[in-house]
Amino acid sequence: MIPDLLTTLPLMPHLPLPVAANAVTEGIGAVLQWDTLLYIGLGMLVGMLVGAFPGVTATMAVALASGFTLTMEPIQGLAVLLTIYVAAQFGDRVPSILINTPGTPASIATTFDGYPLAKQGKAGLAMTASALGSAFGMVFGIIVLALFGIPLAGFARQFGPPEMFALVVFGLTMMIGVSSGRIFKGLIAGAFGLLLATVGRDPITGDQRFTLGILELNGGVPFIPVIIGLFGLAEVLNQMVTHQRHKSQDKPINQLGAWWPGRELSGRLFKSMGIGAGTGSVVGLVPAVGGDIAGIISWDNAKRLSKHKEEFGKGSIEGLTAADTSSTATLGGSVTTTMALGVPGDSVMAVLIGSMMIWGIQPGPALFTNQPSLVYTLAMILLVATVLSLALSLVRMKSMVKLLELKNQYLWVIILVFCMVGTYSISNSVFDVFVMLIMGVIGLFMLRFGFPAGPAVLGLILGPLAESNLRRTLIGGGPESFLASPIALVLFAISAAALLLPPLRAMRLRRKRELAGKDEGLSVLIP
């Protein structure tokens, strides 16, 4: 049941100041309760450990934790899941800097300069700069959420069935379009998710379909077991099959050196933080474009604007700070698009939507406008989690070096147990465990053959929304309704560009390389 704090007056552009102030105080007050703060602390510890262990992604951790949080009140559950996500953004920098292995995909760009700095005996300085940049980026992203969440939701509130269907298509194609160049496989994964979404009852008539006579499927394929199987169990099975170890077989660097930057370095840090925050906040508003992409873009921007370009890739404190600031700044924008539009900003937000729907909270245009206090509740959770994670990150974490030497086999056992127990605890159903196991095997197949899991989960979650709005549009006004909506046409055009431009760009680059190769061959033949 949703707490009374979420049932506030609708927020309109002409909202009276006392009502707006009431929404702010209610939203913040919901977080400043001892039990909610306790859950934030628990999420912080889990998230830091998750980030520190290579191979255990934030998506996997949030998926596993979601099974245990469904019995909590929504605010408490959101506190745990969001804090895990925040803290993982800090913890994943540790292995990136000390063993040159990203703790999560968001810290890929951290390895560009973090590990070279550690080899120079500046690991402590690198970890401090990373923590400060991550905190600055997170706070900047929180400001984006507080400023743009409600206006964006108010704009999207005007959407009818044609616009909502176009918005779902936009979100799905954006995740497919950034599937590491695997667009065709992303399309197949998305189609698989949409196929799963058709199981259960017809959203218009209520008739049963594709249930195969299984009573448990009348309500559709359960979200959480699918998510845990695809992101949790599949990753463990993949590591067990491949015996995946750290990319670097060297022992973690344990000579951390100095921890605090001097006055000269501090000035360079502030400039890099500004570049990273600006880049990350813009990238984060685009659905499905996560911190890994933002970090790489910001690192490149910082290099072009730096007076010390020669240091980048060899141990640049500017490159490290810009990348980490940008990758965390995306979180605020990701939460904004997820809650205000109902379209997941990244794979973690897709998992979060599944949990919220079970709690009875439907992300989308009506959420923030009808429940404005929720904006400030989410912002406060993120802010408290950021402050606590920063404080823990600035402690000399020599003990983390020992944790990095822990064998993966121990982690596999722990994660497998959590997968089983977490799935069963959702509804005390053995059927859910079977669904999780089946999806784990399917997820292993997808990992081994390069099919991204994100579009599949997104298709499952957004499929019913897409189908119901498409059918309402066709029944109400026919296909012409899409042509009469400028917003729908723009979203369809962007969606088409997200699918077509990457392969066209790849073909163009391939053509250039072929022409360059022919020119080199002619230059060799002609004296």
Side-chain angles (χ1 to χ4, degrees), residues 62-148:
V62 173
L64 293 177
S66 62
F68 295 94
T69 59
L70 295 180
T71 56
M72 300 178 183
E73 291 294 325
I75 298 303
Q76 297 173 350
L78 286 171
V80 174
L81 299 181
L82 285 175
T83 305
I84 289 176
Y85 190 20
V86 171
Q89 305 298 310
F90 287 84
D92 63 359
R93 273 55 179 174
V94 177
S96 299
I97 293 171
L98 298 183
I99 60 174
N100 200 30
T101 302
T104 68
S107 62
I108 290 174
T110 307
T111 61
F112 296 172
D113 290 297
Y115 189 62
L117 282 169
K119 291 197 296 184
Q120 298 171 15
K122 300 177 182 178
L125 178 62
M127 293 172 70
T128 298
S130 174
L132 293 174
S134 298
F136 184 85
M138 199 75 70
V139 172
F140 199 91
I142 293 170
I143 295 174
V144 171
L145 169 63
L147 292 180
F148 297 104

Side-chain angles (χ1 to χ4, degrees), residues 395-406:
V395 176
R396 296 196 175 195
M397 295 184 292
K398 288 189 176 181
S399 58
M400 299 296 289
V401 179
K402 296 295 182 182
L403 289 176
L404 292 175
E405 297 176 350
L406 183 67

Side-chain angles (χ1 to χ4, degrees), residues 142-368:
I142 293 170
I143 295 174
V144 171
L145 169 63
L147 292 180
F148 297 104
I150 292 176
L152 182 62
F155 170 73
R157 188 79 184 272
Q158 306 171 20
F159 286 11
E163 291 81 9
M164 287 302 301
F165 174 74
L167 182 62
V168 172
V169 172
F170 169 72
L172 188 58
T173 53
M174 287 301 295
M175 181 163 282
I176 292 172
V178 296
S179 298
S180 302
R182 300 167 294 177
I183 293 180
F184 181 70
K185 293 182 177 179
L187 284 170
I188 295 177
F192 171 66
L194 292 173
L195 182 64
L196 291 178
T198 62
V199 177
R201 293 189 176 275
D202 187 289
I204 303 296
T205 65
D207 297 331
Q208 294 184 16
R209 59 184 187 183
F210 308 123
T211 60
L212 304 178
I214 301 175
L215 183 63
E216 289 83 355
L217 290 178
N218 285 343
V221 179
F223 298 127
I224 304 301
V226 172
I227 291 170
I228 293 176
L230 290 179
F231 287 112
L233 182 59
E235 181 62 38
V236 174
L237 294 176
N238 185 51
Q239 292 187 25
M240 293 172 67
V241 169
T242 60
H243 299 286
Q244 181 176 338
R245 289 292 297 170
H246 303 320
K247 291 182 181 179
S248 173
Q249 296 298 321
D250 299 330
K251 290 186 177 181
I253 294 175
N254 52 23
Q255 298 299 322
L256 304 183
W259 276 78
W260 204 255
R263 181 176 300 179
E264 179 184 354
L265 280 181
S266 297
R268 295 168 64 183
L269 290 182
F270 285 123
K271 178 182 176 182
S272 300
M273 288 180 187
I275 295 172
T279 303
S281 60
V282 174
V283 173
L285 289 171
V286 181
V289 183
D292 50 346
I293 296 175
I296 295 173
I297 294 174
S298 185
W299 184 88
D300 185 64
N301 290 340
K303 181 179 180 180
R304 286 190 282 106
L305 297 174
S306 175
K307 298 179 180 179
H308 307 276
K309 295 181 177 62
E310 70 283 354
E311 296 180 2
F312 280 71
K314 300 177 183 178
S316 170
I317 200 73
E318 296 179 59
L320 171 68
T321 308
D324 288 350
T325 303
S326 184
S327 62
T328 55
T330 60
L331 192 143
S334 179
V335 174
T336 301
T337 56
T338 300
M339 300 300 176
L341 301 180
V343 177
D346 54 27
S347 58
V348 176
M349 290 297 109
V351 176
L352 193 65
I353 282 183
S355 297
M356 294 181 69
M357 292 174 68
I358 295 178
W359 283 321
I361 303 175
Q362 178 62 58
L367 181 62
F368 280 169

